[in-house]
Amino acid sequence: MNQEKGHGLASIRAHYVYLSETEKKVADFVLDSPQELIHSTINQLADRLGVAESTIFRFCKRIGFKGYQAMKIALASEVVTPIKNIHEQILEHDPAEVVTEKVFRSNIKTIEDTLQVVDHGNLQKAVDAMLTANKIEFFGSGGSGIVALDAYHKLLRSGLQVSAAGDTHLQLMSASQLSDRDCAVLISHSGTTKDILQILQTAKEAGAVTIGITNFAKSPLSQGVEIPLFTLSEETDYRSEALSSRIAQLTLIDALYVNLMIRRKEEGQRALRNMRKAISNKRL
């Protein structure tokens, strides 16, 4: 994952909960005064915050940069860009049209931020694993469960053997029936949900290839799956981080689906034609 092109502020917010107390001190300064940081040396920043230079360097590495200079360059590209902040907070007295525009722009930014953290190597591995699996099963609970059902709905069109269960007990039972020829796709924004981690453990014990779709930060899910895929989103007063991440999760699954269909060529097109023919009778 390459943060060198920008989106450093979003990466800091995504990693914030996992930083040490001294690293959070650096993060707070960067988030509050990015303009001041890009004109400071690492020595000046260390003196100002009363931390060691090694702490600042470790912080840079933790959020995905090679070092302090790389972080400064990325931040500079963000803070000097003369464009309107498209993730501005929704205010209580905003008229409906302004609220609507801010929600749309927030979703656009979530997708753009997520694109910056897509590991294309891991996405390719996920496509390869799904293509060779006997069965692909999607798992998620709450809002992520809705995304799992959407993934199932999409991939039915590919002709691959896919399934998804809504109830977490059924998901756990189904995970126990997987094999080393199957693929489990686990979706969780936080990556810390007890149910999804139990399903992950069960799928791994069954030998299945495990793919995780989760927030861009270290979590038990991202560290436990074989192939992690990440989303990146910000929380606002009226929308939780998990809610805004759903659009990014859906978009990642769209990318997986289209890549699968391209790779399956005629098989995929035949499956899609059969699906369209079957459901055509449902229309007037």
Side-chain angles (χ1 to χ4, degrees):
M1 275 159 287
N2 183 6
Q3 292 296 323
E4 308 302 316
K5 295 181 181 178
H7 296 260
L9 297 175
S11 181
I12 293 169
R13 294 186 186 100
H15 284 85
Y16 191 87
V17 69
Y18 303 99
L19 300 175
S20 68
E21 289 307 310
T22 51
E23 288 169 345
K24 284 180 180 176
K25 196 173 181 179
V26 181
D28 290 339
F29 180 82
V30 176
L31 292 171
D32 292 339
S33 310
Q35 284 275 13
E36 194 169 340
L37 176 126
I38 61 177
H39 298 294
S40 302
T41 66
I42 190 170
N43 180 262
Q44 290 170 331
L45 183 61
D47 286 345
R48 178 178 181 126
L49 299 180
V51 300
E53 290 183 26
S54 59
T55 298
I56 298 173
F57 182 75
R58 187 168 63 247
F59 164 78
C60 296
K61 297 282 285 186
R62 183 74 67 91
I63 64 169
F65 294 99
K66 293 178 181 177
Y68 182 69
Q69 191 63 24
M71 181 183 72
K72 281 177 59 174
I73 292 169
L75 289 174
S77 70
E78 292 185 61
V79 301
V80 302
T81 302
I83 60 173
K84 182 180 177 182
N85 177 9
I86 61 174
H87 193 68
E88 56 194 316
Q89 292 284 331
I90 292 171
L91 304 177
E92 185 177 350
H93 302 297
D94 280 345
E97 62 269 24
V98 173
V99 171
T100 301
E101 181 180 356
K102 287 181 179 180
V103 169
F104 270 72
R105 292 190 180 282
S106 176
N107 282 349
I108 291 167
K109 187 174 189 299
T110 294
I111 293 173
E112 289 178 338
D113 286 348
T114 295
L115 180 60
Q116 295 299 315
V117 300
V118 169
D119 184 322
H120 295 285
N122 275 358
L123 192 129
Q124 186 63 60
K125 288 178 184 176
V127 170
D128 291 342
M130 295 166 84
L131 279 172
T132 56
N134 280 0
K135 179 173 70 172
I136 304 163
E137 184 131 13
F138 294 94
F139 300 96
S141 59
S144 295
I146 296 170
V147 176
L149 288 175
D150 178 80
Y152 167 63
H153 178 254
K154 282 190 180 82
L155 265 72
L156 268 177
R157 294 163 167 74
S158 69
L160 296 169
Q161 294 300 307
V162 294
S163 61
D167 180 84
T168 53
H169 286 81
L170 290 175
Q171 289 182 30
L172 194 58
M173 293 165 65
S174 189
S176 72
Q177 301 304 305
L178 296 173
S179 74
D180 58 3
R181 299 182 301 277
D182 300 324
C183 183
V185 183
L186 302 102
I187 305 166
S188 170
H189 170 71
S190 69
T192 60
T193 308
K194 186 179 291 185
D195 286 337
I196 207 74
L197 295 177
Q198 193 174 5
I199 291 167
L200 169 63
Q201 186 59 37
T202 303
K204 289 173 72 172
E205 290 172 358
V209 175
T210 54
I211 299 169
I213 298 177
T214 186
N215 188 45
F216 181 52
K218 290 182 180 177
S219 68
L221 179 62
S222 66
Q223 294 181 306
V225 295
E226 291 177 55
I227 307 170
L229 298 173
F230 296 101
T231 60
L232 194 57
S233 60
E234 297 178 12
E235 189 165 336
T236 68
D237 289 342
Y238 294 94
R239 303 179 76 216
S240 72
E241 213 177 6
L243 180 62
S244 59
S245 74
R246 196 174 307 167
I247 191 76
Q249 292 173 343
L250 292 168
T251 305
L252 257 182
I253 288 165
D254 282 350
L256 288 169
Y257 167 71
V258 173
N259 274 285
L260 286 166
M261 290 296 285
I262 289 171
R263 291 278 297 277
R264 282 179 60 75
K265 297 180 181 176
E266 182 54 38
E267 288 175 299
Q269 290 303 313
R270 183 167 58 250
L272 188 57
R273 285 195 299 270
N274 290 342
M275 179 76 68
R276 286 172 175 165
K277 180 180 178 181
I279 64 176
S280 65
N281 293 329
K282 292 290 184 181
R283 300 193 178 104
L284 292 176

